[in-house]
Amino acid sequence: MLNIGDFAKHGRVSVRMLRHYDAIGLIRPARVDPSSGYRCYEASQLARLNRVIALKELGFTLHQVRAVLDEEVDPAELRGMLRLRRAELAAAMAADAERLARVEARLRTIESEGTMSAQDVVVKRLPSVRAAELAGVAASYEPQDIGPVIGPLFEELCGRLAAAGVAAAGPSVARYEDSGDGDGSVLIRVAVPVAAGTGPATGGEHGFAVVDLPAVEAAATVVHRGSMDESLGSVQVLARFIEENGYRSAGYARELYLECPEDMADWVTELQEPVVRDWPATDRLPTGY
């Protein structure tokens, strides 16, 4: 027989842990002195302790470990538990690899530029949104062509919403896409979120469309502060992140206007671009950020 201290030493666990295993019925002492309460174990119990440690290292909870050791789990269930744990570990490894890639990218930038970027790119899901929408065409993507079109479009849309008695349900959105005319012109869609119950008939009566902006499973986003006429730097930060972190563009960009005070220098806009993975996160590390 081994006292609890020697059993803990041979099993490479703490005495405190053995007492806990006893309390939950995972490993009971072979004998407990009735007068002193001292616990004693048989050397053969080390095999069960080793199995406990092995299953814990695989990530199973103590409740699951006890069920496995007491044969409350049949082989098919155990295979299922192991497959699930394998999937969880693979997902965690992929997430860690992606975080490592971003750390490496940020480190390379700091080393090359001597400073940390004030703009952080975040990849996130964009939910579907019901919105009132108007569209117009600009001659190009250049700010001097976009500005004279998008401003009046928003003013017109807000006026029509007011006339319809429809209130905004969130920050306004702008979307851009090629017009399809082959001349470099751009179709601009401006949208204001509205209540989910707002139907197409309401918009049709007052001269605007009611649409559901589709959800985007993954979008690279960055917050731009200041006038949109000066957004080129933020656009470049976003493009660089997409390229160097293993993504590629998967659709047309959006702009979400979070704060729009009178002074455009104080505007806060989130630039959003749908993306998909262009290479597995574990294949290579990015070269910068």
Side-chain angles (χ1 to χ4, degrees):
M1 299 286 283
L2 300 171
N3 63 39
I4 191 170
D6 289 338
F7 189 73
K9 181 176 66 175
H10 288 298
R12 300 296 190 270
V13 296
S14 67
V15 170
R16 178 175 174 274
M17 185 60 69
L18 285 178
R19 289 179 178 140
H20 178 60
Y21 289 167
D22 181 13
I24 63 175
L26 187 55
I27 300 178
R28 298 285 195 187
R31 178 176 177 275
V32 178
D33 187 284
S35 57
S36 65
Y38 288 165
R39 298 170 173 85
C40 293
Y41 296 81
E42 294 177 348
S44 60
Q45 289 182 280
L46 286 170
R48 182 178 176 93
L49 178 58
N50 289 338
R51 294 189 68 193
V52 170
I53 294 171
L55 290 169
K56 279 185 61 183
E57 289 179 347
L58 290 177
F60 289 114
T61 66
L62 291 180
H63 175 75
Q64 292 171 325
V65 170
R66 178 179 171 183
V68 170
L69 296 186
D70 292 345
E71 298 183 351
E72 296 173 7
V73 175
D74 63 33
E77 289 179 300
L78 181 56
R79 283 194 297 271
M81 291 168 65
L82 288 169
R83 290 191 182 110
L84 176 60
R85 185 58 187 153
R86 180 178 62 187
E88 292 172 345
L89 290 171
M93 288 173 62
D96 286 342
E98 185 166 341
R99 280 191 290 270
L100 176 60
R102 294 193 182 190
V103 168
E104 287 287 341
R106 181 60 64 88
L107 182 59
R108 290 175 186 271
T109 297
I110 294 173
E111 290 175 344
S112 63
E113 299 178 2
T115 183
M116 183 172 179
S117 173
Q119 291 176 297
D120 288 314
V121 177
V122 176
V123 177
K124 62 185 178 182
R125 184 180 188 277
L126 306 179
S128 174
V129 178
R130 174 151 292 195
E133 186 177 78
L134 283 181
V137 177
S140 75
Y141 279 101
E142 296 297 324
Q144 62 266 25
D145 291 327
I146 297 290
V149 177
I150 195 170
L153 273 177
F154 270 121
E155 290 180 9
E156 181 68 21
L157 178 57
C158 290
R160 295 185 185 186
L161 286 173
V166 177
S172 55
V173 179
R175 297 183 292 159
Y176 304 91
E177 58 187 86
D178 296 331
S179 67
D181 293 336
D183 57 359
S185 58
V186 181
L187 179 62
I188 303 175
R189 300 181 188 275
V190 300
V192 173
V194 295
T198 305
T202 301
E205 183 180 348
H206 292 86
F208 57 84
V210 176
V211 300
D212 290 317
L213 305 185
V216 176
E217 289 306 313
T221 67
V222 67
V223 175
H224 169 73
R225 300 179 185 275
S227 169
M228 290 304 295
D229 291 341
E230 302 171 353
S231 63
L232 181 59
S234 298
V235 171
Q236 291 176 343
V237 166
L238 196 59
R240 185 176 175 183
F241 173 90
I242 290 171
E243 178 182 357
E244 296 180 351
N245 286 273
Y247 293 98
R248 60 180 170 83
S249 179
Y252 293 106
R254 297 183 184 180
E255 294 170 0
L256 179 67
Y257 301 98
L258 300 172
E259 297 179 18
C260 298
E262 186 174 346
D263 187 349
M264 294 182 66
D266 295 327
W267 278 27
V268 179
T269 309
E270 184 175 81
L271 310 182
Q272 307 170 334
E273 183 161 352
V275 294
V276 294
R277 269 290 179 194
D278 196 29
W279 47 266
T282 54
D283 279 2
R284 59 172 176 166
L285 292 178
T287 58
Y289 167 64

